[in-house]
Structures are given as C-alpha cells and as structure tokens.
Amino acid sequence: MLNFEKADSKNKVTGVLLCRDRVAILTGGKGSDAVKALHGAGPVFAESELEGLLKSAIEDGRMGEQVVVGVDPLLEFFSTQRTIAIAGDHAPDSLIDELRNKYGGRLIAETVRTALSPKTHQTAIAVPKGELQESSAAFADYDSGKVRFISTSHALYALALEQDPMPKKWSSEIRVFLGQREGLVMFAVDGTLVARQIFEYSGQAQGPIVAAVNGMVAAVQEGLGLGQPDGILFHVGKDHADIAKVCSEVTSIDAGVRTHIPYEQSTLCLALAFDGFRRRRQGVDFFTHVDNTSSAEVVDGKAKFPVRQMLGLSAVILGMGGYLWQAGSALANEADNLFADAQAALDFYDGDSFAMEEGLDNLYKTVSVAEGFLMERVYWSDIIKELPRILPSTMSVVRIDGRYEFKVPEEPKEGEEGDVAAPMVFDESSRYFELNLKVPIASESSKVPEVAELIKALGENELFKRHFRKIPNPELSKLEMDGGWQANIAIRLTP
C-alpha cells in the first residue's frame, strides 16, 4: 500500500486534482486525510469558480512552493491511433497542432511521444481549455517553473512503474487499478503509456475487470495492430491474487499482483506530486500552451501586419514552426528563439503570401481528415454502457459485434458552380452494430413482446440514433432448450 508521508507544504510539492465539481489538494496525511477537497456550488464549475477556489487555497497556505496540477482522467482525452496514410508530407505533429487550434475553444491538445514509431502510430492528449486557463490565472503570481499542469494518467503510470518496474523479459504490459466506483486499465510499451480506459466497477464482482482487460487486449491487437501484451499487473495487493489468476486463464496472458495502488483522488494527487518535477520527466506541461494574447499588435490606432502569425504559418508548412503557428499562446522568448527558422521559411516562399495561402488551404484539407478520424467516430464503450439501460429486463445478451470504418474524403470535383465535394460511399458491411439476444418463453406459440420494446427503445435512444438510424425487423427463431423454450433474436443496425 502506498504511504502518504506527512510533509510541510511549504517545502514539498503539492499535487492538485481538478474534477468536475471539486478541487482535491494533497495534504500529506493518511487515509481520508490525504487530500483536502474544495467543492463547487453545483455539479460542474461555474465560470471563474475554479479560479476562485484555487486562489482561496493559495491564500490559506495549502499550496507548497512547487505545485503540480492535473485533471481527473475522466476529463482528460487520451488516445493512440494508427497513422493514416495521407497524400502529402504533413507530419502527425502538425496535424495535432492544427486540431488543437481548431478546437481551441474547448480543448488544448498535444502530441505525446511513445515507444511506437510515429510512422505507424500517433498519440494525442488533451485537457479542457477552461480549467487550464483558470488554473493559469490562479497561479499567475507563482515564479516561472514552479507550477506545472501535466497528464494525470501519465503521472499515475509513472508512480506505478516506480513502485513496481516492468519485468525485464517484457516489452509491453497492461496495468489495472481499482477504486470504489471505477477502475482504470492501462497499456504501455517499453515504459511509455500508449492507451488507457476507465470502466465502471462496483468493488466486488470480477466480471467488469475481466471485460475491461479483454477489451484492452482486443484494442491493442485489432485497433492498434500490435502483438499480444507480454503480461498484466494488477495493483490490488497480494490478498487479491485470485483476480490475476482468473484473467490469466481467460486471456492466456501471464498475470500477477503488485503493490496496492487504489484508483482514487488521493492516489492521483500523490502521482501528480511525484511525477511533476522529476528530472527525467519529458511529458507535456499544458501551462506552456495557455493563450492569453491577441492576434495582432496595434500601433497608433491601426493594426500592424501580423508578422509573427505569418511567420508561424510558413514555419508550420515547412514542419519547423509548431510553436509559432500559435504565436498568441507562445511566450515571447520562445518566439524569439524560433524567429530565425521562421524567417528561413518565409525566404522559402520568397515572401509570396499567395503561395502561403495555398499551402494553408492544403493544410486545412489534411486537418479535416485528422478531425474526422479523431472526432467523428463511434465510442463503443459509451454504447456498451447504454445497452443495459434500454434492453427489456427479460432479455439477455448472447453476442455483440460492431464496426465503424473511417473513410478518407475524396478530393472535391470541379463543377459549373465551383468545386463540389465527392459523395462519401460506404460498403454496407463497413458500419454496423449487431446484437444477438435471447428471451425465455413459455412455448413455441408464445409471442415475444420484448422485440417491439427493443425496437422502440433503440429508435428513441439519442446515442444509438447518432450513429445507427436504420433499425430493421430482427430475425426471430424459437428453440426448445433444457425442457423449456427460448426465443433467439438477431438485429443489425446500420447508419
């Protein structure tokens, strides 16, 4: 079990976890006293409420000389995808930079390096922009470098890796953490976090744990195209070795138990404090991406030509100016350091603004592909969680199958009235959600009213309507099973 050492907050690093409706601050105590929770007035923070809570905590002396801030993993977007083959030479980094700028009103996104090759996979992480900006404002009086805003997921993995290193013969691993209401499963390669998933967990049944591990193994092999993980480590303590045995039998993967690291606020705060200022840490500090400047300078009442933005545009096109592209959010010294490289990019285009505009148009086309891949997709975990809520109580799931292919848009075709977007054509088998269900019945002649209930529930559910609007009449068969009768139902939903 992890130990929370009592520490003087003035001399120690303070971990601060931001949740939807509260701020959890590491105190150094034990058990329920390990963190101090400051609650908001409602289920989510109102505007400026988070900033006020943080400033109040600073004034009360709850913060140390160094502070590490992170958001609850539920609020943190983290995903690894296979790199899409796109015409052109745009690197994955520039795609994420553009995505970050396009969704700057909601998220601050960044690429993360992993042990996987960037030629085959890219990893993105994002945090809510509002929480980031209010945190930045609250800690404005802190000295530079004394406050960091990092990934909570990566911090937890770093803490677990420090407690229990990956076995020497392994190159990839799955780690599982359990809490009172939720659990977290992580996949890493060569000590770098590649994927993670939060799942509901009641604290007793082993079914959700096995399902979560199975889901991660499938995502690794089918979604990422990687080999089977070398092993699974459960951070549940030696008293719960049975869950490792069960998962090993189900997955045929070596599994074992390690130090008990509960998935709870106190652990996440401790992980942030542990990982935030380590010398070898190379993760993203989101505080370097807070945009507090305007897009153009003004002199004598007239807007100057936005030289820095133009420099940034040309630098992005050449793959050397990711920071200058968002010059408003870069610090002045960073802009100065990159000015020479940006000037070289301008020279490349001979200062031709039309050529740069054409390059920008091409960049937007590339970004639209990344946007569709990252944003316009089905989140199967949400659908699986929703399914039990709409199924009739007498109906049981036998099998679930689903697919939702992403299609790269074709180039627009020239028409009499300008460019016309080519229609998106999908194979009927490329996008579907299929259910095989069963219902006990009294006899072969019995009606099955649950079928009508199911069709109605699927048709009215917003989550299913968003992706699968066509709900055909299901296939129905009746079989005699063990002296009784059973109705088997198969239904395939399509967009």
Side-chain angles (χ1 to χ4, degrees):
M1 182 73 178
L2 293 174
N3 293 319
F4 291 86
E5 298 179 358
K6 291 185 178 180
D8 182 358
S9 63
K10 295 182 180 179
N11 299 317
K12 298 294 182 179
V13 181
T14 302
V16 179
L17 181 69
L18 309 182
C19 305
R20 285 193 179 95
D21 62 345
R22 73 192 68 182
V23 176
I25 303 172
L26 185 67
T27 64
K30 295 182 179 181
S32 60
D33 295 328
V35 296
K36 172 65 177 179
L38 305 179
H39 293 263
V44 294
F45 287 125
E47 185 176 356
S48 300
E49 186 176 20
L50 173 60
E51 180 182 345
L53 288 176
L54 290 173
K55 285 183 176 179
S56 175
I58 295 172
E59 293 172 358
D60 292 343
R62 297 188 182 279
M63 303 293 182
E65 293 180 356
Q66 293 179 314
V67 179
V68 184
V69 185
V71 296
D72 187 310
L74 283 170
L75 305 180
E76 186 178 83
F77 173 84
F78 177 69
S79 178
T80 295
Q81 306 286 352
R82 294 191 197 185
T83 302
I84 307 173
I86 304 174
D89 297 324
H90 302 297
D93 281 357
S94 63
L95 294 179
I96 298 299
D97 285 339
E98 277 303 301
L99 186 62
R100 181 186 61 223
N101 279 282
K102 186 167 185 178
Y103 288 91
R106 292 179 291 169
L107 298 173
I108 297 293
E110 221 1 307
T111 53
V112 179
R113 291 187 178 184
T114 71
L116 301 177
S117 170
K119 294 181 180 180
T120 59
H121 296 81
Q122 70 174 27
T123 300
I125 187 168
V127 296
K129 186 175 182 179
E131 280 78 351
L132 177 61
Q133 289 183 323
E134 291 196 26
S135 300
S136 177
F139 290 101
D141 292 336
Y142 266 66
D143 293 337
S144 177
K146 295 293 185 180
V147 184
R148 292 181 177 175
F149 195 119
I150 69 173
S151 162
T152 308
S153 300
H154 285 76
L156 179 60
Y157 178 69
L159 179 63
L161 196 63
E162 177 75 11
Q163 290 284 324
D164 298 286
M166 184 169 61
K168 292 183 179 180
K169 294 182 179 181
W170 294 5
S171 61
S172 64
E173 63 175 347
I174 288 177
R175 291 184 185 246
V176 181
F177 308 83
L178 302 178
Q180 294 183 348
R181 292 180 297 178
E182 296 169 334
L184 178 69
V185 56
M186 292 180 167
F187 170 69
V189 176
D190 291 335
T192 60
L193 186 60
V194 172
R196 49 120 255 218
Q197 182 65 49
I198 300 169
F199 61 94
E200 293 183 0
Y201 175 64
S202 64
Q204 297 294 330
Q206 295 180 345
I209 305 173
V210 176
V213 172
N214 258 333
M216 181 59 76
V217 173
V220 169
Q221 294 182 297
E222 299 176 16
L224 299 181
L226 303 175
Q228 187 181 72
D230 292 326
I232 309 168
L233 299 180
F234 291 87
H235 286 280
V236 295
K238 295 181 179 180
D239 295 337
H240 299 280
D242 54 327
I243 183 58
K245 181 179 179 181
V246 171
C247 274
S248 182
E249 292 174 350
V250 172
T251 62
S252 299
I253 300 176
D254 186 21
V257 295
R258 294 295 188 271
T259 305
H260 183 204
I261 303 180
Y263 183 60
E264 59 190 21
Q265 291 180 4
S266 57
T267 303
L268 298 177
C269 287
L270 178 63
L272 290 167
F274 164 78
D275 191 45
F277 287 94
R278 289 197 303 159
R279 289 185 179 181
R280 295 182 180 180
R281 189 181 192 285
Q282 297 179 348
V284 177
D285 180 2
F286 286 100
F287 273 148
T288 63
H289 302 285
V290 180
D291 186 357
N292 291 319
T293 61
S294 60
S295 59
E297 298 179 18
V298 177
V299 178
D300 296 332
K302 297 181 179 181
K304 288 177 58 180
F305 180 74
V307 176
R308 291 183 179 179
Q309 278 73 3
M310 293 301 291
L311 291 174
L313 169 58
S314 54
V316 163
I317 297 173
L318 288 181
M320 65 176 69
Y323 289 105
L324 289 176
W325 171 246
Q326 50 162 7
S329 65
L331 300 176
N333 60 342
E334 292 177 342
D336 293 338
N337 292 336
L338 291 172
F339 188 89
D341 287 340
Q343 185 61 52
L346 277 178
D347 294 341
F348 179 83
Y349 283 97
D350 295 326
D352 187 342
S353 61
F354 292 102
M356 286 188 284
E357 286 293 339
E358 184 178 355
L360 180 60
D361 289 340
N362 291 333
L363 188 58
Y364 279 139
K365 293 175 183 178
T366 304
V367 170
S368 67
V369 175
E371 174 190 345
F373 181 57
L374 293 174
M375 297 297 179
E376 297 176 7
R377 59 180 180 177
V378 173
Y379 288 86
W380 295 110
S381 61
D382 293 342
I383 286 182
I384 292 174
K385 290 178 182 178
E386 186 71 11
L387 193 59
R389 299 189 179 97
I390 64 175
L391 287 181
S393 59
T394 55
M395 189 172 285
S396 302
V397 176
V398 177
R399 179 176 174 272
I400 295 176
D401 187 19
R403 186 181 181 191
Y404 204 87
E405 180 184 81
F406 171 74
K407 187 175 181 64
V408 178
E410 297 181 7
E411 288 289 330
K413 298 180 180 179
E414 294 185 3
E416 295 181 357
E417 300 181 358
D419 291 347
V420 178
M424 299 285 284
V425 180
F426 293 92
D427 186 329
E428 292 184 358
S429 64
S430 67
R431 290 185 171 184
Y432 65 85
F433 182 64
E434 186 172 282
L435 285 170
N436 290 89
L437 309 157
K438 65 180 181 180
V439 177
I441 55 177
S443 65
E444 185 178 8
S445 60
S446 298
K447 295 183 178 180
V448 188
E450 289 89 347
V451 173
E453 294 177 26
L454 175 64
I455 293 176
K456 180 180 179 182
L458 290 170
E460 295 177 351
N461 187 272
E462 293 297 327
L463 183 59
F464 280 89
K465 286 196 300 183
R466 189 182 309 159
H467 303 292
F468 304 106
R469 298 187 178 184
K470 296 181 181 178
I471 306 174
N473 290 326
E475 297 179 5
L476 180 65
S477 61
K478 300 176 182 179
L479 297 174
E480 189 174 10
M481 303 286 292
D482 300 326
W485 283 88
Q486 172 181 298
N488 294 327
I489 302 149
I491 185 169
R492 187 182 181 98
L493 312 182
T494 55

